[in-house]
């Protein structure tokens, strides 16, 4: 241990962490920094503004969601301005550029979507219900499972969305539990939506660490030891293989949740796709040994596409090309 620590000190102890500037993004970056400090490294947080932080007057599918929250951070990795970039794993595009890699996935938080409201007696059956969300997947699922509800665009960081909620623009917001919990707004949670029905987005609840492939191998190994949670990594590798095969991202209403068996030997994947109007819902549940997780993700995505998923994706792309 002593020899390894000395080698790391000689190699590099100063780690520049690239992050977005929202309170939630900074919580994630400080969480990473705490882990690195505990490992004997010296972190510095560097705030980088992304397109998704600037363009708030359009929905994600209208501004080209591929890399909308990651592109500028990734450019910082290429230039060496930062050593690692911290992302919400669900915001990471399906395919990573060849010169970059996802180094680690931190331990996953509870994966559920939740509905938050300032109304302690919020009734989901009220006929005039308005729920705010910026997620294409959540909008589609609400149209399927709460068809009487109206969905309204809710862009901006969590605090901005809550301000709009308090102003009465919505009766409730549909958000990821992880962000609500990390920002200590648990008291506003009125409903925890079942993950078996409202299946979450790929990576939801985890923090992803990205770096340049050219980063020193010994440093990468130490960063991985300090930050990666192997069980979460196995699940997200499975989910991301599904997402890549679906050629999906934030603008496509796909979903995927991988879980490990009690003994950690098997991975189960629940994945699928829903049409924008919520009328068509295609899902599959399959399992495989953990070592075959990525093959499972590919196989399950191909099954969804074969059962009508391609037609749903073609319909979504035609609809958007006409706008």
């Amino acid at each position: 241990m002593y020899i390894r620590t000395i080698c790391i000190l000689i190699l590099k102890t100063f780690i520049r962490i690239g992050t977005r500037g929202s309170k939630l993004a900074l919580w994630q970056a400080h969480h990473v920094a705490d882990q690195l400090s505990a490992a004997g490294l010296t972190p510095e947080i560097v705030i980088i503004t992304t397109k998704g932080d600037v363009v708030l007057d359009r929905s994600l599918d209208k501004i080209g969601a591929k890399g909308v929250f990651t592109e500028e951070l990734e450019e910082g990795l290429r230039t060496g301005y930062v050593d690692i970039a911290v992302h919400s794993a669900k915001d990471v595009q399906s395919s990573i550029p060849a010169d970059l890699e996802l180094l680690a996935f931190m331990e996953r938080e509870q994966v559920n979507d939740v509905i938050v409201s300032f109304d302690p007696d919020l009734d989901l059956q009220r006929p005039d219900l308005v729920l705010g969300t910026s997620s294409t997947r959540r909008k589609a699922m609400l149209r399927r499972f709460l068809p009487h509800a109206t969905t309204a665009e809710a862009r901006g960081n969590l605090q901005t969305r809550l301000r709009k909620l308090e102003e009465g623009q919505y009766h409730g917001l549909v958000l990821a539990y992880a962000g609500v919990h990390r920002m200590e707004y648990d008291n506003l949670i009125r409903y925890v939506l079942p993950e078996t029905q409202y299946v979450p987005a790929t990576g939801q609840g985890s923090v992803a660490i990205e770096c340049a492939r050219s980063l020193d191998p010994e440093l990468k190994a130490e960063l991985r030891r300090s930050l990666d949670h192997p069980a979460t990594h196995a699940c997200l590798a499975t989910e991301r293989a599904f997402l890549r095969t679906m050629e999906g991202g934030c603008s496509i209403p796909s979903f995927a949740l991988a879980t490990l068996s009690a003994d950690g030997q098997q991975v189960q994947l629940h994945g699928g796709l829903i049409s924008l109007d919520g009328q068509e819902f295609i899902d599959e549940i399959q399992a495989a040994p953990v070592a075959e997780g990525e093959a499972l993700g590919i196989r399950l995505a191909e099954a969804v596409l074969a059962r009508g998923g391609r037609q749903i994706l073609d319909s979504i792309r035609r609809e958007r090309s006409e706008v």
Side-chain angles (χ1 to χ4, degrees), residues 71-84:
E71 187 174 356
E72 290 80 3
L73 288 161
E74 290 180 335
E75 189 57 30
L77 294 173
R78 291 190 177 96
T79 63
Y81 182 57
V82 294
D83 300 298
I84 58 175

Side-chain angles (χ1 to χ4, degrees), residues 27 31 35 104-110 178 182 204-208 227-233 236:
W27 183 96
H31 182 53
Q35 297 285 94
F105 294 106
M106 302 186 76
E107 185 171 6
R108 197 174 211 169
E109 182 56 85
Q110 183 176 324
R182 288 165 180 162
Q204 185 160 303
S206 179
V207 175
L227 301 173
D228 194 47
H229 186 254
T232 299
H233 200 132
L236 266 65

Side-chain angles (χ1 to χ4, degrees), residues 104-125:
F105 294 106
M106 302 186 76
E107 185 171 6
R108 197 174 211 169
E109 182 56 85
Q110 183 176 324
V111 300
N112 302 71
D113 287 335
V114 297
I115 297 177
V116 303
S117 178
F118 288 99
D119 179 0
D121 301 312
L122 179 66
D123 180 7
L124 294 187
Q125 300 309 313

